[in-house]
Amino acid sequence: METRTLGKDFCVSAVGLGCMGFSHAYGAPVEEREAVRLLREAAQMGYTLFDTAEVYGTQEDPHANERLVGKALAPFRNHVAVASKFGLRFDMESGRSPYPLIPDARPETIRRSVEGSLKRLGTDHIDLYFQHRIDPEVSPEEVAGVMADLIREGKITHWGISETDEEYLRRAHAVCPVTAVENRYSMMARHYEKLFPVLEELGVGFVAFSPMANGFLTGKYGKGEKFDEKTDYRASMPQFTDDGIDKNQELLRLLSDMAEKKGATCAQISLAWMLCRKPWIVPIPGSRKPQRMEENAGAASVRLEPSEIKALDEALDHMEMSEVFGGTRVKKRA
């Protein structure tokens, strides 16, 4: 797979792998042996960016995903980059699904988090360490100061911010240069495009999570889909409802038509659409199937002309779409 550079010098595969779904939010966790096999197969395909977080797990094992990623990638550690995240916990006692989010980016919390993540990942450093959500009670300067310390100590080599806005990014970047932001971005969620000029100005990369609107843009879902309400967030996502399927028919046709024109799949077009916009965008779709991982990796070879991207954008600007899942509720910590 071709590579891309995020920030000043963070070189990774053009398409990364979001690892959350192996342990969290997309149904029952994958059995460990099978998940290890799949992650290793992804590394052999050419994926070099693997994205996890300390909170991707279950009530029984809240940190399952980091341990899984660490175990699976141990044989490839010198050839891959691991991104993890700090500064967030789930309110698993709320009785709600998806679990509400509680941000906590106090320096002492970050210190505990990084040590725990290093141990679970079985590594002496984290390649890209994201603040998972902004904590309104801790300034960006204070968080960035801790990141600068962790870089000097060799515990992380790069850092980033997830779901950031322009002001927070600028203030943090002025203290310790940010390598990438990781924000939600897809054909159905384009509100962060307003950040693109700022990212270009600062030389910050963009890691796109949920780049296929939680899998909806693969075109593989129809009416009557059933998801486990306890373990699968898609059960509460509006794009997967029967009404959502109806409202999104024009969007699915747009994808299908372009896919046929390019000899690609709908999933590949949804990824190529962002890959061909900017050289510093890296999507991180998740998948549990090797054929889907291979399909997603192949999106890096699909070329859309500027005129084709413009036509897609104009169509997206004017078509009816359903609401799309935009994340779960954020609560203040007690």
Side-chain angles (χ1 to χ4, degrees):
M1 204 192 307
E2 66 181 54
T3 60
R4 294 190 162 202
T5 300
L6 301 176
K8 183 180 179 181
D9 60 1
F10 189 57
C11 185
V12 294
S13 53
V15 178
L17 184 66
C19 301
M20 180 181 75
F22 288 104
S23 311
H24 179 82
Y26 285 85
V30 178
E31 189 272 327
E32 183 182 275
R33 184 178 299 179
E34 174 65 5
V36 166
R37 184 186 70 81
L38 291 169
L39 284 164
R40 290 177 177 174
E41 192 165 342
Q44 291 166 341
M45 287 179 194
Y47 284 90
T48 64
L49 176 61
F50 293 80
D51 181 271
T52 182
E54 66 175 338
V55 292
Y56 294 161
T58 64
Q59 280 188 305
E60 296 75 25
D61 189 0
H63 309 301
N65 201 246
E66 280 189 326
R67 273 191 287 270
L68 171 66
V69 169
K71 180 177 181 178
L73 297 181
F76 304 91
R77 187 63 186 96
N78 294 331
H79 307 287
V80 299
V82 175
S84 195
K85 308 182 192 74
F86 68 90
L88 188 69
R89 62 185 174 89
F90 292 119
D91 181 5
M92 290 186 169
E93 307 303 320
S94 66
R96 301 182 61 175
S97 180
Y99 301 122
L101 309 175
I102 303 173
D104 184 354
R106 291 172 293 182
E108 61 270 25
T109 303
I110 298 172
R111 284 285 178 180
R112 286 195 301 271
S113 291
V114 73
E115 295 301 336
S117 291
L118 288 169
K119 184 177 180 180
R120 288 186 292 270
L121 290 166
T123 187
D124 63 355
H125 73 279
I126 297 168
D127 300 288
L128 180 55
Y129 202 37
F130 282 109
Q131 181 177 6
H132 209 156
R133 289 292 184 276
I134 290 173
D135 182 345
E137 298 181 35
V138 181
S139 74
E141 290 83 2
E142 190 169 12
V143 173
V146 178
M147 295 299 105
D149 289 341
L150 293 178
I151 291 171
R152 281 193 292 270
E153 294 164 19
K155 293 182 178 179
I156 68 174
T157 57
H158 303 80
W159 87 288
I161 311 167
S162 183
E163 297 278 62
T164 189
D165 57 27
E166 178 180 351
E167 180 188 1
Y168 193 95
L169 173 61
R170 286 187 180 278
R171 289 172 61 185
H173 186 78
V175 174
C176 182
V178 174
T179 291
V181 301
E182 182 175 316
N183 289 2
R184 185 182 304 276
Y185 186 47
S186 73
M187 286 181 162
M188 298 184 77
R190 299 173 60 196
H191 46 287
Y192 281 119
E193 287 180 357
K194 63 187 178 185
L195 264 184
F196 286 4
V198 181
L199 299 178
E200 287 195 320
E201 174 194 340
L202 299 179
V204 175
F206 188 92
V207 175
F209 76 84
S210 297
M212 291 185 283
N214 308 98
F216 182 80
L217 297 177
T218 62
K220 304 295 184 182
Y221 296 90
K223 288 185 176 181
E225 299 289 346
K226 300 295 182 185
F227 303 101
D228 186 332
E229 293 183 3
K230 291 184 178 180
T231 61
D232 198 321
Y233 285 7
R234 288 172 295 184
S236 63
M237 294 182 186
Q239 66 266 37
F240 292 102
T241 64
D242 287 356
D243 183 57
I245 297 292
D246 284 337
K247 287 183 177 178
N248 293 318
Q249 285 305 303
E250 187 178 357
L251 171 60
L252 294 174
R253 280 195 297 272
L254 179 72
L255 274 170
S256 180
D257 289 347
M258 184 59 75
E260 184 176 358
K261 177 181 176 182
K262 291 293 182 177
T265 66
C266 291
Q268 289 174 330
I269 295 300
S270 69
L271 296 175
W273 168 80
M274 61 180 69
L275 285 166
C276 293
R277 299 178 76 92
K278 303 289 183 181
W280 38 260
I281 294 177
V282 174
I284 51 167
S287 181
R288 299 176 169 198
K289 298 178 180 179
Q291 62 268 36
R292 293 283 172 254
M293 293 179 191
E294 193 167 355
E295 177 184 353
N296 295 341
S301 301
V302 177
R303 297 288 180 258
L304 298 179
E305 300 298 327
S307 59
E308 292 172 322
I309 295 171
K310 182 179 180 182
L312 287 171
D313 285 350
E314 289 177 352
L316 294 170
D317 286 340
H318 296 99
M319 70 173 52
E320 180 186 32
M321 293 184 198
S322 73
E323 293 295 317
V324 63
F325 181 70
T328 51
R329 188 167 64 97
V330 176
K331 296 173 60 176
K332 281 190 175 183
R333 63 175 182 270

